[in-house]
Amino acid sequence: QVQLVESGGGSVQAGGSLRLSCVVSGFIASGDCMGWFRQAPGKQREGVAGIDRDGRTNYADSVKGRFTISRVNGKNTLYLQMNSLKPEDTGVYSCAAGGYSDCSGPSLSPPVYNYWGQGTQVTVAS
């Protein structure tokens, strides 16, 4: 059974940084797609960043140039480095894995992903 556990959330002032981690237990193929998503109160879940089998990345326009997604396959770990945080970045951040043996194209669409973590809260104060 695949489980994803996020850590690294917290409260920061605008302009600050946080690094989120997601550790995957169970089998995830090195060729799988993985991503980070967030959900603010009263809003739908949105894709923040995705990474595919070849390390290609995709970012929401709102975070381009500020967030960086990376993965360490040997450690089954996914990261999200968040810099220059803004109050509108506040939300519950969740990592996700597609569950595919070979995934090309880093998607930001939630239905593409079959395994989800519980999420970690990020709060950015103005």
Side-chain angles (χ1 to χ4, degrees), residues 6 92-95 117-121:
E6 304 93 340
V92 176
Y93 283 70
S94 301
C95 63
Q118 291 297 312
T120 184
Q121 177 70 44

Side-chain angles (χ1 to χ4, degrees), residues 2-10 18-25 34-39 45-46 48-49 69-70 75-82 91-97 113-122:
V2 176
Q3 291 186 321
L4 295 84
V5 179
E6 304 93 340
S7 61
L18 285 173
R19 188 192 195 204
L20 305 183
S21 299
C22 171
V23 177
V24 183
S25 61
M34 298 191 73
W36 286 99
F37 296 78
R38 69 185 179 193
Q39 188 166 18
R45 176 182 283 168
E46 64 171 341
V48 174
I69 187 172
S70 60
K75 295 184 178 181
N76 272 4
T77 304
L78 183 72
Y79 300 100
L80 184 67
Q81 177 66 44
M82 306 186 294
V92 176
Y93 283 70
S94 301
C95 63
Y113 295 86
N114 294 294
Y115 299 103
W116 293 84
Q118 291 297 312
T120 184
Q121 177 70 44
V122 171

Side-chain angles (χ1 to χ4, degrees), residues 4-126:
L4 295 84
V5 179
E6 304 93 340
S7 61
S11 297
V12 295
Q13 294 291 320
S17 298
L18 285 173
R19 188 192 195 204
L20 305 183
S21 299
C22 171
V23 177
V24 183
S25 61
F27 179 74
I28 288 289
S30 59
D32 200 1
C33 286
M34 298 191 73
W36 286 99
F37 296 78
R38 69 185 179 193
Q39 188 166 18
K43 294 187 177 181
Q44 288 189 331
R45 176 182 283 168
E46 64 171 341
V48 174
I51 188 167
D52 75 357
R53 69 181 185 191
D54 298 318
R56 289 177 295 193
T57 58
N58 188 18
Y59 296 94
D61 288 342
S62 59
V63 307
K64 282 180 181 177
R66 301 188 297 121
F67 290 12
T68 303
I69 187 172
S70 60
R71 67 193 290 178
V72 180
N73 286 334
K75 295 184 178 181
N76 272 4
T77 304
L78 183 72
Y79 300 100
L80 184 67
Q81 177 66 44
M82 306 186 294
N83 298 328
S84 302
L85 283 161
K86 303 175 180 180
E88 51 264 43
D89 294 319
T90 294
V92 176
Y93 283 70
S94 301
C95 63
Y100 310 108
S101 60
D102 189 13
C103 180
S104 178
S107 176
L108 298 182
S109 177
V112 169
Y113 295 86
N114 294 294
Y115 299 103
W116 293 84
Q118 291 297 312
T120 184
Q121 177 70 44
V122 171
T123 303
V124 184
S126 57

